Amino acid sequence: DIQMTQSPSSLSASVGDRVTITCRASQSISSYLNWYQQKPGKAPKLLIYAASSLQSGVPSRFSGSGSGTDFTLTISSLQPEDFATYYCQQSYSTSMYTFGQGTKLEIK
Amino acid sequence: QVQLVQSGAEVKKPGASVKVSCKASGYTFTSYYMHWVRQAPGQGLEWMGIINPSGGSTSYAQKFQGRVTMTRDTSTSTVYMELSSLRSEDTAVYYCAREFQQQLDYWGQGTLVTVSS
């Protein structure tokens, strides 16, 4: 099975900060990497797909990069509504779509 | 618009089974795979499996093999996830999610399953 490891597990930041979250796959997954945002009590929301493509309706301050085993999600200027938990997910192995353990982004 | 509407919360005793439904609307049901993902209280997302609504084929995470069954009813555009031999560790919110080109673009609202004696 492909394992996904996110870092950090939690992060404190201020409104206006630039934030980067990292996701590492246990083997190469090409660009089959998606990012989701989840707020308390809500279903996850797709932000980035295929490593770097912005889902329709998602603000342009979100961006993704990487390929192979190392990926990043960047928020260029944090807004109050961005404080949430972020998950990466690989879709390379179509019989097992594993998630990272999540990164909780909190207000400093 | 695409909607996935799940069945309501359930309380089950250890050893029992639970069947959660997910009714799809706003798109061609048989054209998109459906996934099930669960989230234990305060924990991360855990992928459980996938069903092809067209032919009914399934693939399950190894952890759930032998305990989970995913089915569909094309006449009502509904997919089902049944988990058997429930234990306290199965207490979680269960989500269905539609797959579009290898990403999960629409999610149900979630169904809380509580396993307690």
Side-chain angles (χ1 to χ4, degrees):
Chain A
D1 294 353
I2 300 174
Q3 308 301 317
M4 307 301 295
T5 304
Q6 286 181 236
S7 60
S9 297
S10 62
L11 175 59
S12 294
S14 301
V15 173
D17 283 354
R18 179 183 180 89
V19 166
T20 297
I21 298 169
T22 297
C23 180
R24 175 166 289 175
S26 60
Q27 66 182 73
S28 176
I29 58 170
S30 185
S31 295
Y32 293 97
L33 191 284
N34 306 313
W35 290 97
Y36 300 86
Q37 176 193 65
Q38 187 181 33
K39 296 182 178 179
K42 299 295 187 181
K45 171 188 173 183
L46 178 65
L47 295 178
I48 302 284
Y49 62 93
S52 60
S53 296
L54 196 66
Q55 176 69 349
S56 175
V58 174
S60 60
R61 63 181 179 272
F62 290 92
S63 64
S65 65
S67 67
T69 60
D70 295 315
F71 302 87
T72 59
L73 171 70
T74 299
I75 309 172
S76 60
S77 178
L78 272 174
Q79 298 302 300
E81 60 268 29
D82 300 337
F83 293 94
T85 301
Y86 293 85
Y87 295 92
C88 64
Q89 178 216 24
Q90 66 82 17
S91 56
Y92 177 83
S93 173
T94 54
S95 61
M96 182 71 181
Y97 278 25
T98 41
F99 291 90
Q101 80 277 20
T103 296
K104 186 173 184 178
L105 180 52
E106 299 175 301
I107 301 173
K108 184 183 287 184
Chain B
Q1 72 284 19
V2 174
Q3 281 193 302
L4 301 176
V5 178
Q6 298 184 221
S7 49
E10 303 261 14
V11 179
K12 296 291 182 181
K13 294 195 182 301
S17 298
V18 68
K19 191 170 187 177
V20 179
S21 68
C22 170
K23 183 173 176 60
S25 61
Y27 70 96
T28 302
F29 175 69
T30 51
S31 296
Y32 299 84
Y33 289 4
M34 197 76 79
H35 296 243
W36 287 91
V37 175
R38 77 177 187 180
Q39 186 170 39
Q43 303 301 309
L45 301 172
E46 182 174 32
W47 186 84
M48 298 182 70
I50 180 176
I51 182 168
N52 177 354
S54 179
S57 61
T58 56
S59 178
Y60 305 136
Q62 188 169 7
K63 175 177 180 176
F64 301 103
Q65 290 272 5
R67 282 211 302 145
V68 70
T69 304
M70 296 176 189
T71 57
R72 94 290 189 216
D73 182 343
T74 57
S75 68
T76 60
S77 298
T78 302
V79 295
Y80 300 90
M81 186 285 300
E82 183 170 21
L83 189 62
S84 63
S85 302
L86 289 169
R87 36 211 188 226
S88 59
E89 310 89 88
D90 295 317
T91 293
V93 175
Y94 290 77
Y95 294 101
C96 59
R98 189 187 82 159
E99 178 189 326
F100 172 70
Q101 295 184 351
Q102 292 174 271
Q103 60 254 45
L104 304 182
D105 63 346
Y106 285 92
W107 294 64
Q109 82 276 19
T111 297
L112 175 62
V113 175
T114 302
V115 183
S116 174
S117 55

